[in-house]
Amino acid sequence: MVFIGYHLSASNSYSSTFKFKFQQFDKCRSTLPGVIICANRKLRPDESVWRPKQSTQNVDFPPKLPKGKKKPYPIPFNEIKQAAKMERKLTSKGIEKPLEPPKNGLLVPDLVPVAYEVFDAWKLLIKGLSELLHVIPVYGCSECSEVHVAPTGHCILDCEGRTSSTRHSSHAWVKGTVNDIIVPIESYHLFDPFGRRVMHDTRFEYDRIPAVVELCIQAGVDIPEFPSRRRSNPIRMFGKKVIDKGGNLEEPESLHVAKSSAILDFDTYRACERFPPPPLSDIPKIAQETIDAYQIVKKGVRKLMKKYTVKACGYCSEVHVGPWGHNAKLCGSFKHQWRDGKHGWQDATIDEVLPPNYVWHVRDINGPPIQSKLKRYYGKAPAVVEVCVQAGASIPVEYKPMMRLDIVIPDTDEAAMIA
């Protein structure tokens, strides 16, 4: 075996490299010479190494944000200040703000099919939950926002309602509805998101519809009852001021007519009364279709929010779909007196537009109710997922770690002996 030096290119960064030439001999013949090259190249800063993703076994529950504090910014505040600084720099130089669809009022053609897919899946989600609630019992607390999917309410003492002290923090359970499973987050419908803003005195001139539906309308879905302006000429902005709206167009008068069948398809109010109980043999199929529709809605809304602007209040649950938030003085959360009831608008997250509404996961429906002493052994899941799983749907992979399926739940007497 002979060592041979190997010259490498100076453009790439390599570690020590060796090249060996060897020849094997037999009793009667010899084989052809072969070459072994061992080289280790250092990675550049812009390169990455693929590694297999390690699946987490159990994850912690999402923390509850304190009510007496502002929500954290989804975008780092330094990036927000840097973007504002660049915008002021362009304004001082007399340069118009560069805008791309949909920031300039035009539709994104590639996202129009996504909007229709989300809208159809949203209607299928409401229909499936309305049918499943005839079979799967759901309870909601009349004093707080707690929801439980089981034949009876749980016994965990964590009620935060106004009269919870008289009940020793136990929940006051009543029969739940679709609004207990899907938290109703509504937004004002705007004919032109870049037109006049919703003021406090004119707030009753606009209809309130689910924020997911309003996002789909602005992304290209056409609903006759809720018209939306489709621009052919982009808007122009100089700093924060709109200097050209792409032509003037009068807004149609608000219809305020009785809800048609098309509107009722995506409305969660009294949805269980519109759909009859399904046959018991179809329950697993409906559950799987419902959980698939929920996954489509969540994935599609996340994709639309990367392009279309959605604002959320940093203090309360108000959401507005559009480039700017409205001016209705309806915020009653932390220190609203200092803001005269105005909302503190910031970029919204997917959990603010489509709240997951986590509930306790019940492994055995026919078993004993959930106890406070065994609270740390139970898992959680979104209310939609919990309803569909109890109806026979398969558990999505991303929710298994939070549901804590691999933890053995001890008896009440054994819990005190576990470290």
Side-chain angles (χ1 to χ4, degrees):
M1 185 174 293
V2 182
F3 171 77
I4 300 176
Y6 189 68
H7 298 283
L8 301 177
S9 173
S11 61
N12 295 329
S13 177
Y14 291 87
S15 61
S16 301
T17 306
F18 300 93
K19 179 179 179 181
F20 299 92
K21 183 177 181 181
F22 68 93
Q23 190 173 12
Q24 297 177 353
F25 294 93
D26 233 337
K27 290 183 178 180
C28 301
R29 61 182 178 85
S30 64
T31 59
L32 295 177
V35 176
I36 297 177
I37 300 178
C38 303
N40 294 324
R41 185 172 66 85
K42 294 181 180 180
L43 293 175
R44 295 192 301 269
D46 57 342
E47 292 183 330
S48 60
V49 178
W50 179 87
R51 293 185 178 89
K53 185 178 180 181
Q54 298 180 356
S55 59
T56 55
Q57 187 178 14
N58 295 304
V59 296
D60 296 332
F61 300 148
K64 290 185 178 181
L65 298 177
K67 296 182 179 180
K69 191 176 180 181
K70 189 178 183 296
K71 302 176 187 176
Y73 288 99
I75 301 176
F77 192 67
N78 289 335
E79 295 183 10
I80 298 176
K81 292 192 298 183
Q82 186 68 19
K85 183 179 179 181
M86 294 298 296
E87 185 175 334
R88 291 194 301 267
K89 188 176 180 180
L90 293 176
T91 306
S92 63
K93 293 182 180 180
I95 303 175
E96 290 186 12
K97 186 177 180 180
L99 298 174
E100 295 181 357
K103 306 297 182 182
N104 58 0
L106 303 180
L107 293 177
V108 182
D110 296 339
L111 293 181
V112 175
V114 178
Y116 273 98
E117 184 182 17
V118 172
F119 184 65
D120 295 336
W122 176 260
K123 294 189 293 184
L124 182 60
L125 174 62
I126 295 175
K127 178 178 180 296
L129 286 177
S130 302
E131 294 176 345
L132 292 177
L133 288 187
H134 290 289
V135 182
I136 306 300
V138 175
Y139 290 92
C141 182
S142 60
E143 298 292 334
C144 68
S145 60
E146 185 73 10
V147 178
H148 190 60
V149 183
T152 58
H154 62 70
C155 301
I156 298 178
L157 306 178
D158 57 354
C159 182
E160 298 178 353
R162 292 179 297 177
T163 61
S164 60
S165 58
T166 60
R167 291 177 280 106
H168 303 287
S169 298
S170 62
H171 294 280
W173 298 111
V174 294
K175 186 177 180 181
T177 61
V178 176
N179 284 340
D180 294 317
I181 304 299
I182 303 178
V183 180
I185 301 297
E186 294 184 342
S187 174
Y188 287 107
H189 169 64
L190 301 178
F191 172 74
D192 184 7
F194 296 89
R196 59 176 184 175
R197 300 180 69 173
V198 180
M199 308 302 292
H200 186 74
D201 297 334
T202 61
R203 64 187 186 277
F204 296 112
E205 300 178 5
Y206 301 88
D207 294 314
R208 298 273 292 182
I209 61 177
V212 174
V213 179
E214 177 63 18
L215 180 61
C216 294
I217 292 175
Q218 294 190 17
V221 175
D222 293 325
I223 302 177
E225 291 81 4
F226 299 102
S228 181
R229 181 177 180 179
R230 308 302 181 193
R231 282 184 168 83
S232 57
N233 298 323
I235 67 169
R236 297 166 55 196
M237 294 185 63
F238 185 75
K240 296 183 179 181
K241 183 179 180 181
V242 179
I243 58 178
D244 186 6
K245 294 184 179 181
N248 296 324
L249 184 64
E250 294 184 1
E251 297 185 10
E253 296 182 359
S254 182
L255 299 178
H256 292 293
V257 295
K259 293 185 178 181
S260 62
S261 59
I263 300 177
L264 293 176
D265 290 340
F266 59 80
D267 191 8
T268 58
Y269 178 68
R270 304 181 71 175
C272 293
E273 300 178 4
R274 300 196 303 266
F275 299 97
L280 295 179
S281 58
D282 296 341
I283 294 298
K285 179 182 177 182
I286 295 174
Q288 190 62 44
E289 292 177 352
T290 304
I291 199 171
D292 292 341
Y294 177 71
Q295 296 290 84
I296 293 173
V297 170
K298 190 174 182 180
K299 181 180 178 181
V301 169
R302 183 181 287 108
K303 188 179 297 184
L304 293 176
M305 289 179 63
K306 291 181 179 180
K307 290 290 185 179
Y308 290 87
T309 305
V310 181
K311 297 293 184 179
C313 180
Y315 302 93
C316 67
S317 61
E318 181 71 9
V319 170
H320 185 78
V321 184
W324 310 286
H326 60 75
N327 285 338
K329 302 176 182 180
L330 301 175
C331 186
S333 296
F334 176 65
K335 293 185 178 180
H336 62 92
Q337 302 90 342
W338 293 13
R339 293 174 277 111
D340 193 21
K342 294 182 179 180
H343 296 284
W345 297 113
Q346 62 188 35
D347 291 332
T349 61
I350 180 66
D351 289 341
E352 291 173 324
V353 179
L354 190 66
N357 192 16
Y358 290 102
V359 299
W360 293 104
H361 172 58
V362 180
R363 299 188 189 181
D364 187 7
I365 302 177
N366 300 322
I370 294 178
Q371 303 292 330
S372 293
K373 296 181 179 180
L374 306 177
K375 181 179 179 180
R376 61 174 178 166
Y377 302 101
Y378 300 125
K380 281 189 175 184
V384 177
V385 176
E386 181 67 16
V387 171
C388 296
V389 167
Q390 291 193 16
S394 58
I395 303 176
V397 179
E398 58 266 30
Y399 299 114
K400 287 183 178 180
M402 190 175 295
M403 297 172 75
R404 300 180 178 178
L405 302 176
D406 57 339
I407 293 181
V408 178
I409 300 177
D411 294 333
T412 307
D413 299 334
E414 297 175 347
M417 297 182 290
I418 298 176

